[in-house]
Amino acid sequence: MAKLDYDGPILEIDKLSISFFTRLREIPAVMDFSVTVQPGEAVGLVGESGCGKSTVALGVMQDLGKNGRVVGGSIKFKGRDLAEMSAEELRDVRGNEIAMIYQEPMASLNPAMKIGHQLMEVPMIHEGIGEAEAKDRALQVVTDVKLPDPARILDSYPHQLSGGQQQRIVIAMALMSKPALLILDEPTTALDVTVEAAIVELVRDLGKKYGTSMLFISHNLGLVLETCDRICVMYSGEAVERGSIEEVFDDMQHPYTQALFRSIPLPGADKNTHPLVAIPGNFPLPHERPNGCNFGPRCDYFEDGLCDEGFIPMYPADEAGHHETRCLRFKEIDWNAPITVGEQKQKGEIGKVVLKMDDLKKYYEVSANALFGGANKKVVKANETLSFEARESETLAIVGESGCGKSTFAKVLMGLETATDGEILLDNQSIGNTPIEERDTKTVADVQMVFQNPFDTLNPSMTVGRQIIRALEIFKIGKNEAERKTRMLELLDLVKLPREFADRMPRQLSGGQKQRVGIARAFSGGARIVVADEPVSALDVSVQAAVTDLLMEIQRNEKTTLLFISHDLSIVRYLSDRVMVMYLGHVVELGTTDQVFSPPYHPYTEALLSAVPIADTSIEKKHIVLDGDIPSAMNPPSGCPFQTRCRWKSKVLGNLCDTEVPPVRTLEGNHQVKCHLSDEKLAEMEPVIKIAAE
């Protein structure tokens, strides 16, 4: 099918309503939703899980399954109503003119088929071109998405590529037929922040090169700021605010947009003096939406008799009508009023050293030919000479990309693995070589973990209360069942969950509530050290604020040492006292939060900071994109572990970086950096993140 020239809007969604039908009822997923995407424009669609973002995308793809139906409004692509197209016309449009990139790249790739064939299929099916031309085009797009050695990549299977490389292939596949509209559904959620920065830059550049319009679905406001021209904020199935990035970010006109911004850590936020403000209450279920404004029950500006009656349409918030809001009171609200902060919290006094690591190493032996147990053994150096101390009431953040050894070190600390060399001292007692089954109950209770994914850590067939009581039994807390039950209810109070949740099953809880149960269980034995492994990355931004605030409050009361493993540097800056940056098993930088976030940095820290998307239009950022992925720990580079990706390498004399591992240097204020750069070169470093002058 030839692509028609068209100069109107590429996508026009007008008053769209989508419902899903179960045996019991109709569940409205999207109501009265309108958005327009012009040629070459990128529109961001943001909101929490369950707000209907992905349903809109599936509506555009006409892929709502047998239970989903468009019950009102229209979706027009290049002026044609998609609902009126035949199955054959739709097949021509999908993949050829409209392409979609999903969150999980492996869901779009065939594991049994080489990458080259998967890419060549697209134009061969949609455009009927020959094999030789399709192969040339596949080679071109793989080069366009900046993958090394394109010929080798085309000859690889999906499992032979890293997550970031797989996502680039999915983007290449979507661009093979030069679509007019590209829908991206959370395309970088599963990727490291450095890979995310490269993918986002890639999508932006390719959008310009191919003139593709984009609908970018995300819950990350910083990413939308960096990629989109306009934004549409969704809440509970409805668009609540629409406008250009500058209008919505700098002059928001809906209470939900304001609440979202207050719950994300921007530069300058401080956990004690300017704590994040979580959105009160919970997201309404689709069949339990309130009358009037859906956001009403959680809104600071709610007015009885006004906000809870009848349908609320979108109102123009500026004279031109480009900026719109679904709020009845937007003209009366003082949007610049300072946040009313509750009592300012006193920071807990940092106490004595509780945990000390000295030259910790963790190596794994693997067969070079693992499938057949080959004779050649290779060593994976997951942790190389880790040394640090952590004190009572202190939050030490551990940051770095996937594969840098963060979780390996956590496993050794927990006793799930034993150290290859070096020492871990807990209250001056060595525990690095004692596996968990040989540790005494007190040591196990003292060192606990809160995991990344709350869905995987709870037993689906046991009530919440029973799971906490089970932990209390293991830690030998309470003389009898009654005492344990009382303690369990106190733990629910501690994590701010209603006591009646004790009788609920995990499936009846939201992600944020499940994570609170995980925290309650970790603290059930009076944990003194809690390893929080990406504890909020699977949660919505509004829930993240509540869970981080909860961790901070428990830490203040219990004097807990918190080891916070994360790749989200915004949260790290907000809540940590000290930061340890890891790369390929090495600690490359260690210092207070202020030291690590201001120059001089380790060149890797500098690149990490540049990659963080920040939802603030007044921020100016230096642009540093790291080439390539983290090298394999089985085959690390010689010399400095970071030298293969370092932009400063050419500025160091000789081939020192290629041949020698840098020594750990201690700068002013006990700030440690593992780098060959001279003091003079380090002193020349400029800040990556600057707040622009007014």
Side-chain angles (χ1 to χ4, degrees):
M1 176 178 134
K3 297 184 184 182
L4 303 170
D5 284 332
Y6 179 75
D7 57 2
I10 294 291
L11 181 69
E12 235 175 325
I13 302 178
D14 188 38
K15 296 188 169 41
L16 177 70
S17 294
I18 296 174
S19 289
F20 289 91
F21 292 85
T22 66
R23 280 175 308 190
L24 295 176
R25 58 167 82 89
E26 172 187 349
I27 297 173
V30 173
M31 295 92 64
D32 186 47
F33 178 83
S34 303
V35 78
T36 305
V37 183
Q38 300 293 345
E41 181 179 54
V43 175
L45 199 52
V46 299
E48 298 169 89
S49 311
C51 72
K53 307 186 297 284
S54 297
T55 306
V56 168
L58 293 172
V60 174
M61 297 300 283
Q62 297 287 299
D63 185 19
L64 291 166
K66 58 179 187 290
N67 295 340
R69 274 211 301 278
V70 173
V71 292
S74 64
I75 306 171
K76 288 183 178 168
F77 173 70
K78 291 190 173 180
R80 296 179 63 204
D81 192 330
L82 290 169
E84 291 169 8
M85 289 187 186
S86 67
E88 199 172 324
E89 286 176 311
L90 268 176
R91 230 187 351 262
D92 267 341
V93 166
R94 274 197 297 236
N96 186 24
E97 297 228 51
I98 304 177
M100 185 156 172
I101 296 169
Y102 295 90
Q103 183 168 347
E104 183 44 68
M106 271 314 275
S108 311
L109 295 172
N110 182 338
M113 198 174 180
K114 285 187 176 175
I115 297 290
H117 286 132
Q118 298 193 50
L119 288 170
M120 287 158 62
E121 264 189 352
V122 180
M124 285 166 76
I125 289 171
H126 285 292
E127 298 170 46
I129 67 173
E131 197 170 318
E133 192 184 337
K135 187 162 189 182
D136 288 346
R137 202 186 291 181
L139 203 60
Q140 178 58 46
V141 289
V142 172
T143 311
D144 276 351
V145 295
K146 298 190 170 67
L147 279 167
D149 196 355
R152 182 184 63 80
I153 296 269
L154 290 181
D155 201 37
S156 304
Y157 287 97
H159 70 268
Q160 294 172 305
L161 308 182
S162 70
Q165 289 173 330
Q166 287 171 3
Q167 194 61 292
R168 283 166 192 252
I169 290 298
V170 173
I171 291 170
M173 200 181 285
L175 293 168
M176 277 300 281
S177 56
K178 303 191 171 74
L181 177 67
L182 190 57
I183 301 172
L184 301 108
D185 190 357
E186 302 268 13
T188 59
T189 303
L191 304 176
D192 275 313
V193 62
T194 46
V195 181
E196 176 179 80
I199 296 276
V200 163
E201 184 184 49
L202 176 74
V203 166
R204 225 178 19 223
D205 292 350
L206 292 175
K208 288 195 182 84
K209 176 175 175 178
Y210 290 108
T212 309
S213 303
M214 288 192 280
L215 188 61
F216 193 95
I217 297 172
S218 181
H219 64 263
N220 186 329
L221 289 160
L223 265 188
V224 169
L225 168 68
E226 291 188 2
T227 42
C228 298
D229 307 301
R230 286 191 309 118
I231 180 172
C232 174
V233 182
M234 279 187 87
Y235 180 79
S236 189
E238 295 178 324
V240 294
E241 186 163 7
R242 273 194 302 263
S244 71
I245 292 288
E246 286 74 19
E247 285 166 342
V248 174
F249 276 59
D250 298 340
D251 187 22
M252 56 197 71
Q253 295 290 313
H254 194 281
Y256 175 60
T257 314
Q258 184 185 52
L260 265 187
F261 274 90
R262 286 179 174 179
S263 62
I264 56 175
L266 296 171
D270 174 83
K271 62 184 174 188
N272 297 308
T273 53
H274 296 100
L276 300 181
V277 182
I279 304 175
N282 286 315
F283 200 74
L285 292 168
H287 57 282
E288 294 173 356
R289 291 192 176 107
N291 293 327
C293 175
N294 283 344
F295 188 59
R298 306 174 74 188
C299 179
D300 291 343
Y301 311 106
F302 179 78
E303 193 176 306
D304 273 329
L306 175 69
C307 301
D308 51 4
E309 289 181 13
F311 169 74
I312 299 169
M314 291 290 267
Y315 293 101
D318 63 358
E319 284 179 19
H322 298 316
H323 188 184
E324 298 165 284
T325 176
R326 197 181 293 273
C327 177
L328 294 167
R329 302 196 58 203
F330 73 95
K331 286 184 175 161
E332 309 157 33
I333 295 169
D334 178 1
W335 295 103
N336 298 317
I339 305 176
T340 48
V341 180
E343 52 175 314
Q344 292 196 352
K345 308 284 197 310
Q346 271 308 105
K347 180 166 171 16
E349 197 59 44
I350 290 181
K352 61 182 194 315
V353 172
V354 181
L355 178 72
K356 189 171 166 40
M357 278 204 188
D358 212 5
D359 283 349
L360 176 81
K361 290 183 182 172
K362 177 61 187 171
Y363 294 173
Y364 294 97
E365 265 197 2
V366 291
S367 301
N369 187 344
L371 197 58
F372 304 108
N376 294 342
K377 291 262 193 251
K378 280 202 165 188
V379 173
V380 176
K381 298 181 176 182
N383 286 153
E384 277 279 26
T385 58
L386 277 184
S387 296
F388 70 89
E389 296 175 341
R391 296 175 174 78
E392 188 178 86
S393 287
E394 179 179 49
T395 303
L396 173 68
I398 297 137
V399 299
E401 295 167 280
S402 310
C404 73
K406 308 186 295 282
S407 296
T408 301
F409 128 77
K411 284 178 188 163
V412 176
L413 175 59
M414 297 293 297
L416 301 171
E417 304 271 4
T418 51
T420 306
D421 197 4
E423 252 189 334
I424 301 178
L425 300 172
L426 174 65
D427 295 329
N428 279 332
Q429 297 289 312
S430 179
I431 59 166
N433 290 313
T434 315
I436 194 158
E437 55 272 21
E438 291 173 23
R439 291 185 180 182
D440 59 56
T441 307
K442 185 177 181 318
T443 306
V444 174
D446 274 350
V447 186
Q448 282 293 300
M449 194 155 181
V450 177
F451 295 90
Q452 176 169 1
N453 199 337
F455 310 96
D456 296 341
T457 53
L458 299 179
N459 183 334
S461 57
M462 212 186 257
T463 64
V464 164
R466 186 73 228 136
Q467 303 201 39
I468 297 173
I469 288 173
R470 180 89 188 87
L472 293 169
E473 286 169 355
I474 290 168
F475 297 142
K476 301 184 173 62
I477 285 171
K479 297 189 185 70
N480 51 40
E481 191 68 12
E483 279 190 15
R484 283 193 276 273
K485 187 167 184 198
T486 306
R487 176 69 185 138
M488 177 269 291
L489 293 171
E490 286 168 359
L491 283 162
L492 287 179
D493 296 342
L494 178 75
V495 296
K496 296 186 169 57
L497 281 176
R499 288 186 164 200
E500 56 268 25
F501 273 41
D503 300 323
R504 290 203 183 174
M505 302 301 276
R507 67 172 184 275
Q508 296 170 291
L509 273 55
S510 69
Q513 289 165 341
K514 284 182 186 159
Q515 195 58 296
R516 284 164 189 260
V517 176
I519 293 170
R521 219 170 39 174
F523 281 96
S524 57
R528 296 176 53 225
I529 296 172
V530 169
V531 182
D533 190 357
E534 302 268 13
V536 294
S537 65
L539 305 175
D540 277 314
V541 283
S542 57
V543 183
Q544 278 185 10
V547 172
T548 45
D549 199 38
L550 174 71
L551 277 170
M552 295 291 90
E553 193 172 320
I554 295 174
Q555 180 185 45
R556 270 190 292 269
N557 297 335
E558 309 277 322
K559 296 190 167 25
T560 320
T561 303
L562 195 61
L563 300 182
F564 192 86
I565 297 175
S566 181
H567 67 261
D568 182 343
L569 287 166
S570 310
I571 290 239
V572 163
R573 185 176 199 160
Y574 170 69
L575 59 77
S576 60
D577 301 303
R578 285 192 306 138
V579 181
M580 180 163 101
V581 183
M582 287 185 70
Y583 185 82
L584 208 58
H586 293 256
V587 176
V588 294
E589 185 161 8
L590 177 62
T592 65
T593 308
D594 288 343
Q595 287 169 340
V596 172
F597 279 81
S598 323
Y601 322 97
H602 187 279
Y604 177 56
T605 311
E606 180 186 46
L608 273 184
L609 289 173
S610 154
V612 180
I614 299 172
D616 188 337
T617 54
S618 67
I619 293 288
E620 284 178 12
K621 253 187 352 178
K622 187 179 282 186
H623 192 60
I624 305 162
V625 170
L626 288 181
D627 289 328
D629 293 310
I630 266 201
S632 161
M634 204 187 293
N635 190 16
S638 60
C640 171
F642 187 56
Q643 52 108 340
T644 55
R645 300 166 82 195
C646 181
R647 75 188 192 100
W648 287 83
K649 184 179 164 187
S650 58
K651 300 176 186 179
V652 177
L653 294 172
N655 58 357
L656 207 54
C657 300
D658 293 325
T659 54
E660 283 184 38
V661 176
V664 175
R665 311 238 302 282
T666 304
L667 309 175
E668 196 180 335
N670 210 17
H671 177 192
Q672 296 174 15
V673 175
K674 197 175 205 172
C675 184
H676 285 305
L677 283 175
S678 66
D679 288 0
E680 293 76 41
K681 276 275 175 269
L682 284 173
E684 286 171 21
M685 279 194 163
E686 296 167 357
V688 171
I689 297 167
K690 281 192 214 148
I691 298 180
E694 286 299 313

